[in-house]
Amino acid sequence: MDCVLVVAGTDQGKAFLSDLLKARAFDRVVAVSNGGEARRAMIEDSYDLVLINAPLRDESGFELAISVTQSTDSSVIVLVKSERADEAAEKVEDFGVLIVPKPVSRQIFYQTLKIATASRRRMLGLINENTRLQHKIEEIKLVDRAKCALIQYRHLTEQEAHYYLEKQAMDQRLTRRQVAEEIIKTYEG
């Protein structure tokens, strides 16, 4: 992780968490005092990790944590008093928010940080795979649409349309998608 947003209501809390994070190699640590500042900071920049020391001055911190998980791909860790940790976990764990009880044990904090890092890497991998598959589906739909145009306007069979598309792509050194787009433009457009 490169960039971390620390949200803590006190200067002491911000300093403590920033010191904990300095032990790990982060490119940038930004510290803010409340949920409003955190939301503005996330509009201006993206963060790999959002670390919330709950409660905040203007809110409990749970709303912010849920909001972050729903609108960004950032990992979120919330620090709460140990007596409220179970209650907090019930509220936010379905959203992928990790809870660390206070007072903070360095060992538990760093383990949670590793889990957040690993989870984020896995999530980004799944997002990339999903994007790749979406593009593949779009290409298949486009190619099928081009085949239908060839069948309708050139009276080819589906097999002949497929062969025509493949041959055009090979002969012109274009992708099947590019050839399909040209066919659609020619016959439908």
Side-chain angles (χ1 to χ4, degrees):
M1 286 193 221
D2 299 322
C3 193
V4 180
L5 177 63
V6 173
V7 188
T10 65
D11 290 337
Q12 180 184 358
K14 287 189 283 192
F16 174 73
L17 293 174
S18 295
D19 287 343
L20 277 177
L21 293 169
K22 284 180 185 169
R24 301 292 186 230
F26 292 104
D27 291 343
R28 197 164 54 102
V29 176
V30 176
V32 296
S33 299
N34 58 52
E37 288 178 21
R39 285 179 177 84
R40 282 189 292 281
M42 286 185 290
I43 289 171
E44 295 170 8
D45 205 352
S46 63
Y47 297 91
D48 300 309
L49 171 68
V50 177
L51 186 58
I52 303 169
N53 187 9
L56 301 173
R57 291 179 184 167
D58 57 347
E59 62 182 271
S60 69
F62 303 131
E63 302 87 1
L64 175 61
I66 292 168
S67 172
V68 170
T69 62
Q70 291 178 333
S71 61
T72 71
D73 61 7
S74 303
S75 293
V76 181
I77 299 174
V78 178
L79 286 75
V80 296
K81 290 183 179 178
S82 58
E83 58 268 10
R84 293 202 59 214
D86 290 335
E87 174 190 340
E90 282 182 30
K91 288 181 182 179
V92 297
E93 67 185 7
D94 287 343
F95 296 95
V97 176
L98 300 170
I99 299 293
V100 174
K102 293 190 284 189
V104 176
S105 155
R106 286 182 187 272
Q107 181 180 6
I108 291 174
F109 180 78
Y110 291 136
Q111 285 175 343
T112 306
L113 202 54
K114 286 180 184 179
I115 290 168
T117 303
S119 297
R120 183 163 192 277
R121 271 194 221 113
R122 181 166 168 78
M123 182 182 61
L124 290 176
L126 292 172
I127 289 170
N128 289 338
E129 178 68 7
N130 188 20
T131 302
R132 187 187 68 76
L133 291 172
Q134 290 288 341
H135 288 301
K136 188 71 174 169
I137 289 169
E138 288 173 22
E139 179 183 328
I140 290 168
K141 286 179 180 178
L142 204 60
V143 167
D144 284 348
R145 197 166 135 208
K147 284 182 194 178
C148 287
L150 289 171
I151 291 168
Q152 182 178 358
Y153 296 108
R154 296 195 60 191
H155 307 291
L156 301 177
T157 66
E158 184 177 354
Q159 195 171 15
E160 290 169 336
H162 177 78
Y163 176 77
Y164 177 84
L165 229 151
E166 294 287 327
K167 181 149 177 38
Q168 290 296 314
M170 199 168 49
D171 290 349
Q172 296 176 23
R173 296 184 181 181
L174 297 172
T175 65
R176 290 181 338 142
R177 180 185 193 106
Q178 291 169 317
V179 172
E181 288 170 345
E182 286 300 317
I183 290 170
I184 291 168
K185 194 184 303 179
T186 301
Y187 292 108
E188 293 181 2

